[in-house]
């Protein structure tokens, strides 16, 4: 019941509720503060939230499916480039992007961010045995995370 919760108010509307036993009930939390000096341990700031993540499946040909994720509007593939388009653009191009293959194309390959703009990132694969840029073939699973100002 409502008497079992402490209501946290913001701009005269309920944003979340804290139950007597310490559990949270909310559809979202919007941190607005920035750390002053050294950030506190285990504290959520707007700067350290993951702004986009995805699990992508690149199929035969040029098909790409966003199997799961957040803030990815689409993805496309052109033989060597996997382009991931953000639903909400970043504020600048200095955001951090991390990408990983679950099963590398062409054997011993690693993923890297070839280029990034405020609205997209382009991913490529490089063969570590010296063969160079990898042309992807078959089904490939890709994981991506991006963090930065929006």
């Amino acid at each position: 019941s409502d008497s079992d919760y402490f209501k946290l108010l913001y701009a005269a509307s309920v944003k979340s509720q804290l139950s007597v036993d310490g559990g949270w009930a909310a559809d979202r939390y919007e941190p607005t503060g920035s750390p002053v000096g050294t950030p506190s341990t285990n504290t959520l700031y707007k700067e350290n939230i993951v702004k986009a993540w995805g699990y992508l499946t690149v199929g035969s040909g040029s098909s790409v499916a966003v199997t799961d994720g957040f803030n990815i509007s689409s993805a496309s593939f052109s033989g060597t480039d996997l382009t991931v388009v953000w639903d909400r653009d970043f504020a600048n191009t200095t955001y951090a992007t991390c990408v990983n293959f679950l099963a590398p194309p062409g054997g011993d390959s690693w993923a890297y961010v070839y280029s990034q703009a405020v609205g997209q990132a382009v991913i490529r694969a490089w063969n570590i045995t010296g063969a160079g840029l990898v042309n992807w073939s078959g089904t490939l699973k890709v994981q991506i995370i991006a963090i930065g100002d929006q």
Side-chain angles (χ1 to χ4, degrees), residues 2-105:
D2 283 345
S3 63
D4 294 332
Y5 291 91
F6 298 103
K7 293 181 180 177
L8 301 177
L9 302 177
Y10 177 77
S13 65
V14 175
K15 290 289 187 182
S16 60
Q17 297 177 334
L18 176 64
S19 70
V20 175
D21 65 3
W24 283 94
D27 61 351
R28 68 179 189 214
Y29 174 68
E30 298 175 14
T32 57
S34 296
V36 177
T38 303
S40 300
T41 304
N42 301 321
T43 302
L44 189 61
Y45 297 104
K46 65 181 180 172
E47 290 87 350
N48 64 358
I49 297 173
V50 171
K51 303 296 177 35
W53 66 269
Y55 184 98
L56 311 173
T57 302
V58 180
S60 296
S62 61
S63 68
V64 180
V66 180
T67 308
D68 201 357
F70 172 75
N71 194 29
I72 295 177
S73 65
S74 65
S76 61
F77 180 64
S78 66
T80 57
D81 295 349
L82 171 62
T83 302
V84 179
V85 179
W86 311 123
D87 192 30
R88 179 182 302 265
D89 289 355
F90 284 84
N92 51 53
T93 59
T94 59
Y95 59 93
T97 305
C98 180
V99 64
N100 182 55
F101 294 134
L102 283 142

